[in-house]
Amino acid sequence: MLQIGALGLAAGLAGCAQGRSRPTLRAPADILPSLWRRQLPAPWRFEPLSGSTPFQTPWPNPTDLLALTDGWWSSLTPDQLQSVAAPALAARLGALGQRFLEDAPPEWRSKLLPVGVSPYVLVFRREGRALPPADDGWMTLLDPALKGKVLLPASPRLLISLADHMDRSDGLRRLRQAAISFDDRYGLNWLLQGDARVAVLPLQRCMQALKRDPRLTAVLPNSGSPLHWTLLARPAGTAEPLPQAWVSEAWTPPLLTRLLAQGWIPPLPREELLEAGGRIATDLRDLVLPPQEVWLRAWTLYPPTAAEVLRLQQRWSTSAP
């Protein structure tokens, strides 16, 4: 009887443990490198968000941590989040990560932790022996030889920002004329299948293809580039602290070294990145770890104000080819 009672007690305790909800990180499946995501410590678990509006509330219960890129930032409001409360991690940020937070709207600064950054690059597919054009910066996209062969991101705001870095008053209209399509998700497919000659993509999304396919060459303009940020945020309703040891692991070799080799760049001090960058392919090293002055010319697209939205909409409308 005693043994039966003990077994019953053990089963009851196990049932209680299984019944408790586990802290849950949610994000679209492609936001975080799988190499890092798999290191999420117990009892945490990862559950993907899906659909065309993955961050629309109400979020599934429980949702204790969100991972998003800056492209989804405007889907959230500050009151939906609480402080990330991770001062030790914030103190480790390098100049680029610190600048991201300092330049962010004040109501957001304590509620987001930048954990990764990737520059947008020009990815060329070589035809025969022809080499990609010399680095004319983003003006390269207006080369008449590339008209109708340019694959661009689906973000009008990003395209407006690229046009603003071109030495042409009609840069936005000509950029739209050059496009074969506007497609973030399947940009590499367009390029590899021969429909496009050049695509504008975050480096982290094309790094593996650059390693595998000798036809592909990437250029990071010396004039600077828009930045693609990966962010962590804590929903307002959670009592779970951010798993800081998990983030710290991604920011420390050997995992840091492996992530850099995949083109995923934590916003740490440059010295730490250089020291950990030994596994980056030699011909791709300047893309992952460009000179400091290139980072200084890079820019971030913060959520626009209502007035900015109207101005951007008007510019987009009047630039139609």
Side-chain angles (χ1 to χ4, degrees):
M1 291 293 293
L2 183 60
Q3 290 178 337
I4 293 174
L7 289 172
L9 178 61
L13 290 173
C16 290
Q18 292 172 0
R20 287 197 299 267
S21 61
R22 297 168 57 190
T24 302
L25 162 64
R26 298 187 188 273
D30 60 350
I31 294 287
L32 297 173
S34 59
L35 183 65
W36 180 33
R37 198 179 66 217
R38 291 195 299 266
Q39 303 301 317
L40 193 64
W44 280 84
R45 63 173 180 165
F46 171 77
E47 291 291 340
L49 295 172
S50 59
S52 59
T53 55
F55 292 98
Q56 183 175 353
T57 54
W59 300 313
N61 187 40
T63 298
D64 301 291
L65 187 64
L66 294 169
L68 63 149
T69 60
D70 57 306
W72 291 111
W73 189 347
S74 295
S75 302
L76 305 177
T77 58
D79 62 289
Q80 293 174 319
L81 305 175
Q82 61 179 294
S83 171
V84 293
L89 293 175
R92 289 193 59 187
L93 294 173
L96 199 62
Q98 292 175 5
R99 191 177 85 190
F100 171 87
L101 292 177
E102 290 168 358
D103 292 347
E107 63 271 22
W108 286 102
R109 290 174 190 164
S110 68
K111 298 186 176 184
L112 296 170
L113 178 68
V115 291
V117 63
S118 182
Y120 277 84
V121 295
L122 297 159
V123 186
F124 295 92
R125 178 180 50 79
R126 183 167 52 196
E127 291 184 343
R129 296 184 177 180
L131 296 175
D135 180 16
D136 291 328
W138 299 106
M139 285 289 292
T140 302
L141 296 171
L142 305 186
D143 187 325
L146 295 175
K147 188 173 182 179
K149 300 179 181 180
V150 177
L151 194 287
L152 293 172
S155 165
R157 189 170 182 224
L158 179 58
L159 300 185
I160 290 172
S161 83
L162 291 179
D164 287 342
H165 287 76
M166 296 176 178
D167 189 22
R168 293 294 300 253
S169 59
D170 60 347
L172 182 57
R173 180 180 59 82
R174 290 189 58 192
L175 184 60
R176 295 177 67 178
Q177 287 177 333
I180 185 175
S181 186
F182 304 89
D183 190 337
D184 299 81
R185 188 170 184 182
Y186 299 108
L188 268 178
N189 291 345
W190 284 84
L191 198 62
L192 295 173
Q193 292 171 5
D195 299 305
R197 280 286 314 282
V198 59
V200 177
L201 295 167
L203 176 62
Q204 68 188 59
R205 289 191 189 167
C206 57
M207 190 75 168
Q208 297 307 312
L210 289 169
K211 291 180 182 179
R212 291 192 308 262
D213 195 324
R215 298 174 302 165
L216 300 183
T217 302
V219 173
L220 174 57
N222 289 327
S223 57
S225 171
L227 296 175
H228 175 84
W229 288 92
T230 303
L231 310 167
L232 294 181
R234 294 178 66 220
T238 185
E240 292 290 339
L242 187 145
Q244 296 189 49
W246 173 65
V247 177
S248 184
E249 183 179 8
W251 290 2
T252 307
L255 185 54
L256 171 59
T257 301
R258 298 175 68 190
L259 290 171
L260 285 171
Q262 293 185 357
W264 199 81
I265 311 164
L268 298 172
R270 179 173 175 78
E271 298 75 19
E272 293 185 41
L273 298 177
L274 289 172
E275 186 175 343
R279 291 181 60 174
I280 303 171
T282 303
D283 57 335
L284 300 175
R285 187 176 179 83
D286 285 345
L287 297 173
V288 180
L289 300 174
Q292 185 67 13
E293 56 267 24
V294 175
W295 282 128
L296 292 175
R297 299 185 194 111
W299 66 93
T300 294
L301 297 175
Y302 293 100
T305 64
E308 288 171 334
V309 168
L310 291 175
R311 180 178 58 82
L312 292 168
Q313 288 174 339
Q314 184 176 19
R315 282 193 64 186
W316 187 253
S317 177
T318 57
S319 69

